[in-house]
């Protein structure tokens, strides 16, 4: 009896609730949402999406959102790739710095007698035959007067001798300038990538000049995590910035590799902080701090840090922001993002309290000739800066023509599934 009573009472509550909600909605429907979107959040019932438009973003429209941009690309001059035969690759560029009247960029450089055999065939790799595109590589560098035409200066950091960290390959570097000295952090491979996975820690070399000579620290400064931890195998894409007088080094962990999800789409970013460029680095207890991204690009913005989060993960194709440099929120959604972007960040190392943002950098195109032979460097431009307002960078979308769409075709299995579904319907008709 009591149960029945409670049930009736609960139903009345629900009805009243709906009625109240309906009244609210009814009241709201008297005033349609206005044609000119209110600049401030209106005092009226709003849907979750429109509430988000006011609460989750810095501005309510893309044109005014300083962390929304499109990206424009320009082919670089000064780099030769042997006609794309796979014997030369340049990829994973560092941030760009400006010193001695010119721009500097460092990157993974591979010049091998043959093209890579591929990670799946890593067992066939030798000390001259690369497994992956970034196997058997050194850290090269180039300079430029204008950011468009570059002069390759040569190898900055070569692979060190066995058994030092990086003897197999030194790759995916990034630059730090700290107290007048220069530091290049890099992935330090001690096995051909693909043998077990893409496994490596991070080491660092240092110099008194951006032109070197560079000295290997012969230290693993960002070690792999303990067994069973998210970054136990791969510490990728080291990316140092200076904040609160310390080195904030963001990095990627490739983890959660499972047979049933191959290739894994999960990539997340961690943070490690140190007072000294040679460590010790302390990994943040909230790691991973970004739940998506691959070769993630970061830059100080206002009092926080912004991140170009592209390629992988639930929140790929977003630009994110962390006021506290740890807890990232989505600031905008965009497309055609620079992959492995190394931006020119004038205040990357100034410990700024009001990061100005970025307008250009160097990124890369993998699979540059369609058969995974090699990667090429390119320039990207954007408006993620407090100091410009380039509305030509704030368009809503790119127009991908029919031919581009038709390059993304159904597979044979997908066609078979579709035919099966249609036949099932036909079967239903005859039944
Ligand atoms: C990119 C980067 C790292 C990986 C490989 C070279 O995905 O994240 O550098 O190890 O490719």
């Amino acid at each position: 009896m009591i149960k029945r009573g409670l049930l009736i009472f609960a139903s009345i509550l629900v009805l009243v609730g709906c009625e109240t909600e309906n009244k609210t909605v009814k009241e709201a429907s008297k005033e349609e949402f206005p044609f000119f979107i209110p600049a401030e959040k209106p005092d009226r019932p709003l849907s979750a999406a429109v509430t988000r438009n006011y609460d989750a973003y810095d501005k309510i429209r893309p044109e005014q959102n300083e962390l929304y941009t499109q990206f424009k690309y320009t082919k670089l001059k000064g780099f030769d790739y042997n006609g794309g035969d796979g014997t030369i690759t340049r990829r994973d560029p560092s941030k760009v710095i400006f010193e001695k009247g010119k721009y500097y960029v460092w990157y993974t450089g591979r010049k091998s007698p043959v093209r890579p055999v591929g990670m799946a065939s890593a067992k066939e790799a030798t000390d001259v035959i690369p497994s992956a595109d970034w196997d058997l590589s050194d850290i090269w560098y180039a300079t430029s007067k204008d950011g468009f035409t570059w002069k390759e200066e040569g190898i900055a950091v070569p692979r060190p001798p066995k058994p030092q960290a990086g003897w197999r390959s030194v790759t995916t570097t990034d630059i730090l300038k700290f107290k007048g000295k220069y530091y290049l952090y890099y992935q330090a491979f001690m096995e051909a990538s693909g043998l077990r996975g893409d496994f490596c820690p991070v080491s660092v070399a240092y110099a008194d000049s951006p032109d070197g000579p560079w000295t290997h620290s012969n230290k693993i400064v960002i070690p792999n995590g303990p067994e069973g931890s998210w970054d136990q195998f791969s510490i990728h894409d080291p990316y140092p910035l200076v904040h609160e007088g310390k080195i904030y080094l963001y990095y990627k962990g490739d983890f959660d590799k499972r047979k049933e999800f191959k290739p894994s789409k999960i990539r997340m970013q961690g943070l490690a902080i140190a007072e000294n460029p040679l460590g010790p680095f302390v990994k943040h207890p909230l790691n991973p701090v970004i739940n998506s991204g691959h070769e993630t690009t970061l830059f100080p913005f206002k009092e926080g840090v912004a991140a170009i989060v592209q390629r992988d993960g639930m929140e790929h194709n977003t630009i994110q922001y962390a006021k506290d440099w740890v807890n990232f929120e989505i600031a905008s959604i965009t497309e055609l993002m620079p992959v492995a972007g190394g931006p020119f960040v004038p205040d990357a190392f100034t410990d700024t309290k009001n990061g100005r943002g970025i307008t250009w950098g160097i990124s890369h195109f993998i699979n540059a000739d369609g058969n995974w032979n090699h990667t090429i460097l390119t320039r990207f431009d954007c408006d993620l800066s407090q100091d410009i307002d380039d509305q030509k960078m704030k368009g809503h979308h790119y127009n991908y023509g029919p031919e581009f769409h038709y390059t993304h075709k159904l597979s044979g299995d997908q066609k078979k599934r579709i035919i099966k579904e249609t036949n099932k319907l036909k079967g239903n008709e005859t039944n």
Side-chain angles (χ1 to χ4, degrees), residues 91-92 108 134 171-172 187 189 193 198 200 236-237 252 254 267 294-295 311 364:
R91 58 175 292 150
D92 291 303
T108 303
W134 55 92
T171 80
T172 324
Q187 295 177 205
F189 286 95
S193 188
D198 199 19
C200 61
H236 289 170
D237 313 341
K252 162 167 66 84
D254 271 14
R267 298 290 187 287
H294 195 135
E295 303 142 325
R311 265 180 77 180
H364 75 201

